[in-house]
Amino acid sequence: MKKLKVWGLIIGILACIVGVYFYLSEDSGLKLNLKKNDPVAAKEAQTKIDKSFEAPISSKVMEEYETMSDGKLIQEVHNMTHQKVEADKKWGSSEITADKVQKLYDVIKNKNFKNGSTKSMLLEILEPWLGKDFTNAVSAHNRIWSYQNGNIGKATRLLTPQEELEYIEEEFR
């Protein structure tokens, strides 16, 4: 009987420690799930994402696109998809903004690529983005990822607005 009381006390203490950990941990799965399913938080996050999409970009960044090689342009679009998708590994990031999407689209459209299918792929990816439609981000990421012979970091789904906002704040702010 005494052993049962001791074990009960130990289990109770451990349960309290785990509970306190989840309560204090901002990254706990419990809290993230609550945030993911909160439509008010999703709307607030989407409003902030939309605001960052409209943020102006320096002319220096925009000018760099004009001199980028085919490979760097491909990588830039790939890096942009990282803001929108879930993947085990992500190497590189570039914030998606209206100015950048428009400039990339214009540069790619007017550039002579060594491989014409590369140009077509990039324009097909960017065209919906011009109208703020990023529903193709998973397929866009994986098309580029396959094109680059990727074997780690395949995109599996779109991020929730809260996850995307968290990504933007960690990577770009």
Side-chain angles (χ1 to χ4, degrees):
M1 189 71 167
K2 201 173 189 180
K3 282 186 180 181
L4 284 176
K5 286 183 181 179
V6 170
W7 278 109
L9 182 62
I10 291 171
I11 290 171
I13 291 170
L14 288 174
C16 286
I17 291 170
V18 170
V20 168
Y21 170 77
F22 279 107
Y23 179 76
L24 296 176
S25 172
E26 287 188 21
D27 293 328
S28 73
L30 180 63
K31 282 192 172 187
L32 285 178
N33 286 336
L34 290 174
K35 288 180 188 174
K36 286 180 192 175
N37 295 326
D38 181 353
V40 173
K43 188 173 181 174
E44 289 173 4
Q46 189 61 55
T47 299
K48 289 179 180 179
I49 292 165
D50 292 344
K51 197 178 247 186
S52 75
F53 181 74
E54 298 302 329
I57 299 299
S58 77
S59 59
K60 182 182 177 200
V61 170
M62 304 297 266
E63 289 170 7
E64 289 175 4
Y65 287 157
E66 294 174 14
T67 59
M68 281 186 173
S69 67
D70 297 5
K72 286 189 178 188
L73 288 167
I74 293 165
Q75 190 60 47
E76 179 69 3
V77 176
H78 184 180
N79 289 347
M80 288 173 132
T81 66
H82 289 165
Q83 176 180 322
K84 298 285 182 183
V85 303
E86 175 65 33
D88 288 340
K89 299 283 183 192
K90 298 179 186 180
W91 292 282
S93 61
S94 182
E95 187 171 11
I96 299 174
T97 69
D99 287 347
K100 287 169 73 173
V101 170
Q102 184 65 59
K103 184 65 173 184
L104 271 172
Y105 185 84
D106 293 343
V107 166
I108 291 166
K109 189 172 185 171
N110 295 314
K111 183 173 174 56
N112 290 321
F113 279 74
K114 293 175 186 158
N115 180 340
S117 64
T118 302
K119 179 177 184 170
S120 298
M121 173 183 69
L122 293 174
L123 291 175
E124 286 171 18
I125 289 168
L126 291 170
E127 201 163 282
W129 294 10
L130 294 169
K132 294 187 190 180
D133 177 3
F134 300 98
T135 55
N136 71 347
V138 172
S139 63
H141 176 277
N142 292 339
R143 273 179 84 182
I144 296 171
W145 180 79
S146 292
Y147 179 87
Q148 295 175 321
N149 298 313
N151 58 11
I152 298 172
K154 185 174 184 177
T156 56
R157 65 175 176 83
L158 287 172
L159 295 175
T160 66
Q162 297 93 319
E163 291 170 325
E164 182 179 349
L165 183 59
E166 187 176 304
Y167 182 86
I168 289 169
E169 289 174 354
E170 286 177 7
E171 293 294 321
F172 310 120
R173 306 289 179 257

